[in-house]
Amino acid sequence: MSFTRVLPRLDRLYRSKLFVPGSRLEFFEKAAKSAADVICLDLEDSVAAADKEQARKNVIQALNEIHWGTKMVTMRINGLDTHWCYRDIIDVIEQGGGRLDSIMVPKAGVGADIYAVDMLVSQAEWAVKRERKIGLEVIIESAQGIENINDIAAASPRLETFHFGAADYAASTNMRTTNIGGSNRDYTVLTDPGADGARQNHWGDMWHYMHARMVAAARAHGITPIDGPFGEFNDDEGFRNQATRTAVLGCEGKWAIHPKQVPLANEIYTPPQAEVDKARAILEAMAEAEKKGLGAATLDGMLIDAASIRQSHVIVKKAEQIEAQNS
Ligand code: COA
Ligand code: MG
């Protein structure tokens, strides 16, 4: 390990984040009663320009009046290049009471974007003498965002989570797709002919680089990486496939843009029992090996050593966190 220690900043579950447009009042209570770990009251792209001011008022009212239980409650503000952004921050902190846990900043491009939001949030918190600090979450969803991701990650100690936004990222880089996450039939690799002369078309994951980049930058700063939206909300299999891939890569959760995606995300970002059992078996086998003075051992024909302990701890710790919440 480096002499520089990085500790995770977020210690709560973030398997599913249900988005609720700030203009759809009829969704609010349903969201509060859902099984989502996190709620996002949205003021940005799911709210029409004409509804922005009213949506902000709705969010303030919802924060004061709705019983959100133990859920993490967040709000997505409008971008820093709009005239709604500053009031989203100031009005909601000044009038929304103490329930807001975190503010989500869309389309962050440079570290100074986050620094500026931190400054506004700090001033509003001081003004209302708020004791519990509001966290920040950032959506990486532009070429600028991915290129400046380390500066963004280092811009504020309030930062707790990174999110990858597929649709805006695709638009910002001129990717030739209108999918929000998922696959694209043209993103394939044709193999060389085999012995029988046949060639195969292998599908690639066009989002892989961005996910992997985000996970590494996030973890290097103690930030939790979260996968963004999957637009085809009737395609459970497609959602499952993408979510499982990002869970394997290290993301701890995913957005739900419809309530039916919440149970799927909760399930997929819970480590499968077989993996938890295997991780526990590795820890037991390594404890036995240590008693015999061995640093490396074998389990079911596989090498295990100190790195296996660290890998297994990740899985067991997550399983225990989920068990604790369910008990
Ligand atoms: N939060 C809470 N409840 C929701 C909901 C949400 N985001 N979306 C739908 N529901 C409720 C509906 O009220 C309905 O409840 P009912 O059975 O009691 O009547 C039920 O879930 C089924 O809704 P459905 O009719 O399938 O959805 P819809 O056509 O009304 O809305 C969307 C579909 C996609 C427009 C809507 O889910 C939505 O606005 N999602 C969030 C979009 C968003 O925030 N995007 C920005 C991030 S990418
Ligand atoms: Mg976006």
Side-chain angles (χ1 to χ4, degrees):
M1 297 294 168
S2 166
F3 187 57
T4 299
R5 272 192 90 192
V6 178
L7 296 174
R9 296 179 185 171
L10 189 78
D11 62 355
R12 48 200 301 179
L13 289 178
Y14 210 116
R15 296 167 301 177
S16 52
K17 175 174 207 170
L18 178 58
F19 267 75
V20 187
S23 48
R24 301 290 297 266
L25 275 174
E26 71 279 19
F27 288 170
F28 286 25
E29 286 284 358
K30 290 175 197 169
K33 291 193 176 78
S34 75
D37 289 336
V38 187
I39 299 296
C40 185
L41 302 169
D42 188 24
L43 297 177
E44 202 219 12
D45 281 356
S46 70
V47 177
D51 295 337
K52 294 283 189 190
E53 319 287 341
Q54 186 56 47
R56 192 188 297 130
K57 289 183 189 149
N58 295 345
V59 166
I60 290 170
Q61 192 179 355
L63 286 168
N64 283 305
E65 294 178 7
I66 290 183
H67 182 61
W68 298 100
T70 56
K71 286 187 177 3
M72 183 166 175
V73 182
T74 75
M75 153 181 80
R76 180 166 73 170
I77 57 174
N78 286 287
L80 275 74
D81 58 337
T82 73
H83 65 82
W84 296 297
C85 176
Y86 77 104
R87 280 210 176 280
D88 292 345
I89 297 171
I90 303 301
D91 286 6
V92 175
I93 296 179
E94 286 192 348
Q95 300 164 40
R99 189 58 185 83
L100 186 69
D101 292 305
S102 189
I103 290 178
M104 174 170 250
V105 185
K107 301 178 183 69
V110 296
D113 287 342
I114 307 310
Y115 189 84
V117 171
D118 188 342
M119 183 269 289
L120 275 179
V121 169
S122 297
Q123 292 191 14
E125 278 183 349
W126 297 332
V128 295
K129 299 191 171 50
R130 189 183 154 115
E131 282 174 12
R132 198 168 59 90
K133 272 188 165 233
I134 292 171
L136 290 182
E137 355 195 82
V138 163
I139 317 179
I140 301 298
E141 52 182 344
S142 65
Q144 260 188 332
I146 207 94
E147 287 300 305
N148 297 318
I149 194 163
N150 281 322
D151 291 343
I152 293 172
S156 164
R158 290 182 192 268
L159 242 173
E160 291 173 339
T161 55
F162 265 174
H163 304 248
F164 177 65
D168 272 305
Y169 183 84
S172 126
T173 51
N174 286 22
M175 285 168 87
R176 207 188 66 199
T177 185
T178 49
N179 286 4
I180 302 181
S183 53
N184 183 300
R185 62 167 59 249
D186 293 334
Y187 198 76
T188 63
V189 177
L190 189 64
T191 64
D192 287 339
D196 60 355
R199 306 180 75 178
Q200 287 169 353
N201 223 6
H202 281 240
W203 289 59
D205 176 8
M206 61 203 277
W207 314 107
H208 173 76
Y209 166 74
M210 290 73 85
H211 281 133
R213 184 81 192 83
M214 173 182 75
V215 170
R219 296 299 184 191
H221 291 83
I223 294 167
T224 301
I226 304 293
D227 189 15
F230 185 83
E232 299 272 342
F233 60 80
N234 288 315
D235 179 8
D236 290 2
E237 214 183 331
F239 181 93
R240 241 174 217 293
N241 183 266
Q242 176 165 328
T244 306
R245 219 164 39 238
T246 62
V248 170
L249 266 186
C251 289
E252 292 193 24
K254 185 163 175 61
W255 297 6
I257 51 111
H258 188 279
K260 75 191 292 258
Q261 294 179 331
V262 169
L264 288 174
N266 285 349
E267 179 200 323
I268 294 161
Y269 292 93
T270 298
Q273 193 56 48
E275 279 182 31
V276 179
D277 292 345
K278 184 175 169 192
R280 287 197 167 122
I282 290 172
L283 293 176
E284 278 168 30
M286 281 307 296
E288 284 303 311
E290 272 168 31
K291 276 188 210 155
K292 294 178 194 151
L294 297 172
T298 55
L299 178 71
D300 301 331
M302 178 182 81
L303 163 75
I304 52 173
D305 64 10
S308 315
I309 298 179
R310 290 187 282 275
Q311 285 178 293
S312 300
H313 271 311
V314 170
I315 294 169
V316 170
K317 241 180 90 185
K318 178 56 73 181
E320 285 174 353
Q321 191 187 15
I322 294 166
E323 281 160 18
Q325 174 161 301
N326 291 340
S327 63

